[in-house]
Each structure stands twice: as structure tokens, then as C-alpha cells.
């Protein structure tokens, strides 16, 4: 089972390769994963810019594990602008999508996040801890909430 944890704003996405099932024990999926060891290691992470259902640029990210399985996640761009919101990283180039492009965030995924996670176990909690540490800000403004 290849698993990737993708944290955008405050929503957690756990993406499984096709056919995977959650453990049949009681409790939340995240708590159940604390008890499991993952043999799958992350081999490669790559991303590209897509448009969400409202026509806004967002990111689709792919994770290839050492067993050859590939998982993906994509999330709509955030509409909320609350005081405590995690920040999406936007390009600011007004010639592309009115400045809302996400190529900088994709660059962070491929050049900062991917090298740090390559070879690591696909463990939800450990990947999340690593993403938080890599960004190092309270609102994900360094790498972008859309990248981490």
C-alpha cells in the first residue's frame, strides 16, 4: 500500500492507491496509523498545475513508492481568508491566471519537499512532522500550504 499525507490549510488528505482499505479496528484512521509500520518507501514526488472546479490554479501531486504504485492528490484552492488560515503560495505573475499561478509552490514540492522525503517510509505522522519542520512557519508561508 502506497500512502501519502497531504496537508492543505487545516484539511488532511490521505490518499491511497487503488484497492487499499483502512484498518478494520475502531477509531480514527489517523490514530490507527500510529500503530502500523509501513514497509513502503517514497521513491519520487512530482507535481503539476491544474485548474480546480472554479477555474483557479491548484496543484496535483503524485507520489511513487518503491513498490511501483503511484498515488495522487489534488485540492481546490482555498477560498477562506481567515486570520489563522494557512497561506497558499501564489506566483504573483499577473500574466498567468491573474497572479494566482502555483508554479512557485510546485517548485517547492519538487526541489525542497521531494528530496527530503525520498527514501523515507510513507508514514502519515512522520511525513506530516517533516513537512511542518521544513516550512518552519505558523501559517505555512515559506513553502505554501498548497505545497505542504
Amino acid at each position: 500500500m502506497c500512502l501519502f499525507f497531504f496537508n492543505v490549510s487545516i484539511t488532511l488528505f490521505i490518499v491511497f492507491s487503488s484497492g487499499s482499505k483502512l484498518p478494520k479496528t475502531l477509531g480514527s484512521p489517523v490514530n490507527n496509523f500510529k500503530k502500523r509500520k509501513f514497509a513502503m518507501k517514497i521513491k519520487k514526488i512530482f507535481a503539476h498545475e491544474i485548474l480546480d472546479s472554479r477555474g483557479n490554479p491548484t496543484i496535483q501531486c503524485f507520489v511513487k513508492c518503491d513498490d511501483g504504485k503511484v498515488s495522487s492528490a489534488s485540492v481546490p484552492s482555498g477560498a477562506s481568508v481567515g486570520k489563522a488560515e494557512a497561506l497558499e503560495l501564489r506566483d504573483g505573475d499577473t500574466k498567468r491566471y491573474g497572479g494566482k499561478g502555483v508554479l512557485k509552490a510546485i517548485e517547492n514540492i519538487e526541489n525542497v519537499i521531494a528530496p527530503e522525503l525520498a527514501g523515507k517510509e510513507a508514514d502519515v505522522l512522520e511525513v506530516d512532522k517533516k513537512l511542518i519542520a521544513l516550512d518552519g512557519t505558523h501559517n505555512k508561508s515559506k513553502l505554501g500550504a498548497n505545497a505542504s
Side-chain angles (χ1 to χ4, degrees), residues 62-106:
F62 298 88
V63 176
K64 183 174 184 178
C65 289
D66 61 355
D67 66 350
K69 292 182 182 174
V70 177
S71 296
S72 69
S74 58
V75 260
S77 61
S80 177
V81 291
K83 184 175 158 184
E85 287 292 317
L87 297 177
E88 292 179 325
L89 185 60
R90 299 292 179 170
D91 297 340
D93 179 359
T94 56
K95 295 176 184 171
R96 293 189 70 251
Y97 302 111
K100 293 183 178 182
V102 293
L103 297 179
K104 288 180 183 176
I106 290 170

Coordinates of all heavy atoms in Angstrom, one line a residue, residues 62-106:
F62 N 1.8 13.8 -7.2 CA 1.9 12.4 -7.3 C 3.1 11.9 -6.5 O 4.1 12.5 -6.4 CB 2.3 12.0 -8.8 CG 1.2 12.5 -9.7 CD1 1.2 13.7 -10.3 CD2 0.2 11.6 -10.1 CE1 0.2 14.1 -11.2 CE2 -0.8 12.0 -11.0 CZ -0.8 13.2 -11.5
V63 N 2.9 10.7 -5.9 CA 3.9 10.1 -5.1 C 4.1 8.7 -5.6 O 3.1 7.9 -5.6 CB 3.5 10.0 -3.6 CG1 4.6 9.3 -2.8 CG2 3.4 11.4 -3.0
K64 N 5.3 8.3 -6.0 CA 5.6 7.0 -6.4 C 6.4 6.3 -5.3 O 7.3 6.8 -4.8 CB 6.4 7.0 -7.7 CG 6.7 5.6 -8.2 CD 7.4 5.7 -9.6 CE 7.6 4.3 -10.1 NZ 8.2 4.3 -11.4
C65 N 5.9 5.1 -4.9 CA 6.6 4.4 -3.9 C 7.5 3.3 -4.5 O 7.4 3.0 -5.7 CB 5.5 3.7 -2.9 SG 4.6 4.9 -1.9
D66 N 8.3 2.7 -3.6 CA 9.3 1.8 -4.1 C 8.7 0.5 -4.6 O 9.3 -0.3 -5.3 CB 10.4 1.5 -3.1 CG 9.8 0.9 -1.8 OD1 8.6 0.8 -1.6 OD2 10.7 0.6 -1.0
D67 N 7.4 0.3 -4.4 CA 6.7 -0.9 -4.9 C 6.1 -0.6 -6.3 O 5.5 -1.5 -6.9 CB 5.6 -1.4 -4.0 CG 4.4 -0.4 -3.8 OD1 4.5 0.7 -4.3 OD2 3.4 -0.8 -3.2
G68 N 6.3 0.6 -6.8 CA 5.9 0.9 -8.1 C 4.5 1.6 -8.2 O 4.1 2.1 -9.2
K69 N 3.8 1.6 -7.1 CA 2.4 2.2 -7.1 C 2.6 3.7 -7.0 O 3.5 4.2 -6.4 CB 1.6 1.7 -5.9 CG 1.3 0.2 -6.0 CD 0.5 -0.3 -4.8 CE 0.2 -1.7 -5.0 NZ -0.5 -2.3 -3.8
V70 N 1.6 4.4 -7.6 CA 1.6 5.8 -7.7 C 0.2 6.3 -7.1 O -0.8 5.8 -7.5 CB 1.7 6.4 -9.1 CG1 1.6 7.9 -9.1 CG2 3.0 5.9 -9.7
S71 N 0.3 7.2 -6.2 CA -0.9 7.8 -5.6 C -0.9 9.3 -5.9 O 0.2 9.9 -6.2 CB -0.9 7.7 -4.1 OG -1.0 6.3 -3.7
S72 N -2.0 9.9 -6.0 CA -2.1 11.3 -6.3 C -3.1 12.0 -5.4 O -4.0 11.4 -4.8 CB -2.4 11.6 -7.7 OG -3.8 11.2 -8.0
A73 N -2.9 13.3 -5.3 CA -3.9 14.2 -4.5 C -3.9 15.5 -5.2 O -2.9 16.0 -5.7 CB -3.4 14.3 -3.1
S74 N -5.1 16.0 -5.3 CA -5.3 17.4 -5.7 C -6.4 18.0 -4.9 O -7.3 17.4 -4.4 CB -5.7 17.4 -7.2 OG -6.9 16.7 -7.4
V75 N -6.2 19.3 -4.6 CA -7.1 20.0 -3.7 C -7.5 21.3 -4.3 O -6.7 22.0 -5.0 CB -6.5 20.3 -2.4 CG1 -6.9 19.3 -1.3 CG2 -5.0 20.3 -2.5
P76 N -8.8 21.8 -4.1 CA -9.2 23.1 -4.6 C -8.4 24.2 -3.9 O -8.0 24.0 -2.8 CB -10.7 23.1 -4.3 CG -10.9 22.2 -3.2 CD -9.8 21.1 -3.4
S77 N -8.3 25.3 -4.6 CA -7.6 26.4 -4.0 C -8.5 26.9 -2.9 O -9.7 26.8 -2.9 CB -7.3 27.5 -5.0 OG -8.5 27.9 -5.6
G78 N -7.9 27.4 -1.8 CA -8.6 27.9 -0.7 C -9.4 29.2 -1.0 O -9.0 30.1 -1.7
A79 N -10.6 29.2 -0.4 CA -11.5 30.4 -0.6 C -11.5 31.2 0.7 O -11.9 32.4 0.7 CB -12.9 30.0 -1.0
S80 N -11.2 30.6 1.8 CA -11.2 31.2 3.1 C -10.0 32.2 3.3 O -8.9 31.8 2.8 CB -11.2 30.2 4.2 OG -11.2 30.8 5.5
V81 N -10.2 33.3 3.9 CA -9.1 34.2 4.2 C -9.1 34.6 5.7 O -8.8 35.7 6.0 CB -9.2 35.5 3.3 CG1 -8.9 35.1 1.9 CG2 -10.5 36.1 3.4
G82 N -9.4 33.6 6.5 CA -9.4 33.9 7.9 C -8.0 34.3 8.5 O -7.0 34.0 7.9
K83 N -8.1 34.8 9.7 CA -6.9 35.3 10.3 C -5.9 34.2 10.6 O -4.7 34.4 10.5 CB -7.3 36.0 11.6 CG -6.2 36.7 12.4 CD -6.8 37.4 13.6 CE -5.7 37.6 14.7 NZ -6.3 38.2 15.8
A84 N -6.3 33.0 10.9 CA -5.4 31.9 11.3 C -5.3 30.9 10.1 O -4.7 29.8 10.3 CB -6.0 31.2 12.5
E85 N -5.6 31.3 8.9 CA -5.5 30.4 7.8 C -4.1 30.2 7.4 O -3.2 31.1 7.4 CB -6.2 31.0 6.5 CG -7.7 31.0 6.6 CD -8.3 29.6 6.5 OE1 -7.8 28.8 5.7 OE2 -9.2 29.3 7.3
A86 N -3.8 29.0 6.9 CA -2.5 28.7 6.3 C -2.5 29.4 4.9 O -3.5 29.4 4.3 CB -2.3 27.2 6.2
L87 N -1.4 29.9 4.5 CA -1.3 30.6 3.3 C -0.9 29.8 2.1 O 0.1 29.0 2.1 CB -0.3 31.8 3.4 CG -0.6 32.8 4.5 CD1 0.5 33.8 4.6 CD2 -1.9 33.5 4.2
E88 N -1.6 29.9 1.0 CA -1.2 29.3 -0.2 C -0.2 30.2 -0.9 O -0.3 31.4 -0.9 CB -2.4 29.2 -1.2 CG -3.5 28.3 -0.7 CD -4.7 28.2 -1.7 OE1 -5.0 29.3 -2.3 OE2 -5.2 27.1 -1.8
L89 N 0.8 29.6 -1.5 CA 1.8 30.3 -2.2 C 1.4 30.5 -3.6 O 1.1 29.5 -4.3 CB 3.2 29.5 -2.1 CG 4.4 30.2 -2.7 CD1 4.7 31.5 -2.0 CD2 5.6 29.3 -2.7
R90 N 1.3 31.7 -4.0 CA 0.9 32.1 -5.4 C 2.1 32.8 -6.1 O 2.9 33.4 -5.4 CB -0.3 33.0 -5.4 CG -1.6 32.4 -4.7 CD -2.1 31.3 -5.6 NE -3.3 30.7 -5.0 CZ -4.0 29.8 -5.7 NH1 -3.7 29.5 -6.9 NH2 -5.0 29.2 -5.1
D91 N 2.1 32.7 -7.4 CA 3.2 33.3 -8.2 C 3.2 34.8 -8.2 O 4.3 35.4 -8.2 CB 3.2 32.7 -9.6 CG 3.4 31.2 -9.6 OD1 3.9 30.6 -8.7 OD2 3.0 30.6 -10.7
G92 N 2.1 35.4 -8.3 CA 2.0 36.9 -8.4 C 2.3 37.4 -9.8 O 2.3 38.6 -10.0
D93 N 2.5 36.5 -10.8 CA 2.7 37.0 -12.2 C 1.3 37.2 -12.8 O 0.5 36.3 -13.1 CB 3.4 35.9 -13.0 CG 3.6 36.2 -14.4 OD1 3.2 37.3 -14.9 OD2 4.2 35.4 -15.1
T94 N 1.0 38.5 -12.9 CA -0.4 38.9 -13.4 C -0.7 38.4 -14.8 O -1.8 38.4 -15.3 CB -0.6 40.4 -13.3 OG1 0.4 41.1 -14.1 CG2 -0.6 40.9 -11.9
K95 N 0.3 38.0 -15.6 CA 0.1 37.5 -16.9 C -0.4 36.0 -16.9 O -0.8 35.6 -17.9 CB 1.4 37.6 -17.7 CG 1.9 39.0 -18.0 CD 3.2 39.1 -18.7 CE 3.6 40.5 -18.8 NZ 5.0 40.6 -19.3
R96 N -0.3 35.4 -15.8 CA -0.7 34.0 -15.7 C -1.8 33.9 -14.6 O -1.5 34.1 -13.4 CB 0.4 33.1 -15.2 CG 1.5 32.9 -16.3 CD 2.5 31.8 -15.9 NE 1.8 30.5 -16.0 CZ 1.5 29.8 -14.9 NH1 1.7 30.2 -13.7 NH2 0.9 28.6 -15.1
Y97 N -3.0 33.6 -15.0 CA -4.1 33.4 -14.1 C -4.3 34.6 -13.1 O -4.6 34.4 -11.9 CB -4.0 32.1 -13.3 CG -3.9 30.9 -14.2 CD1 -2.7 30.2 -14.3 CD2 -5.0 30.5 -14.9 CE1 -2.7 29.1 -15.1 CE2 -4.9 29.4 -15.7 CZ -3.7 28.7 -15.8 OH -3.7 27.6 -16.6
G98 N -4.1 35.8 -13.5 CA -4.2 37.0 -12.7 C -3.4 36.9 -11.4 O -3.7 37.5 -10.4
G99 N -2.2 36.3 -11.5 CA -1.3 36.3 -10.4 C -1.5 35.1 -9.5 O -0.8 34.9 -8.5
K100 N -2.5 34.2 -9.8 CA -2.8 33.1 -8.9 C -2.1 31.8 -9.3 O -2.4 30.7 -8.7 CB -4.3 32.9 -8.9 CG -5.1 34.0 -8.3 CD -6.6 33.6 -8.3 CE -7.4 34.7 -7.7 NZ -8.8 34.3 -7.6
G101 N -1.2 31.8 -10.2 CA -0.5 30.6 -10.6 C 0.2 30.0 -9.4 O 0.5 30.6 -8.4
V102 N 0.6 28.7 -9.5 CA 1.2 28.0 -8.3 C 2.5 27.3 -8.7 O 2.9 26.4 -8.1 CB 0.2 26.9 -7.8 CG1 -1.0 27.5 -7.2 CG2 -0.2 25.9 -8.9
L103 N 3.2 27.9 -9.7 CA 4.5 27.3 -10.1 C 5.6 27.4 -9.0 O 6.4 26.5 -8.9 CB 5.0 27.9 -11.4 CG 4.0 27.7 -12.6 CD1 4.6 28.5 -13.8 CD2 3.8 26.3 -12.9
K104 N 5.5 28.4 -8.2 CA 6.5 28.5 -7.1 C 6.2 27.4 -6.1 O 7.2 26.8 -5.5 CB 6.4 29.9 -6.4 CG 6.9 31.0 -7.2 CD 6.7 32.3 -6.4 CE 7.2 33.5 -7.3 NZ 7.0 34.8 -6.6
A105 N 5.0 27.1 -5.8 CA 4.7 26.0 -4.8 C 5.1 24.7 -5.4 O 5.6 23.8 -4.7 CB 3.2 26.0 -4.5
I106 N 4.9 24.5 -6.7 CA 5.3 23.3 -7.4 C 6.8 23.1 -7.3 O 7.4 22.0 -7.0 CB 4.8 23.2 -8.8 CG1 3.3 23.0 -8.8 CG2 5.5 22.1 -9.6 CD1 2.7 23.2 -10.2

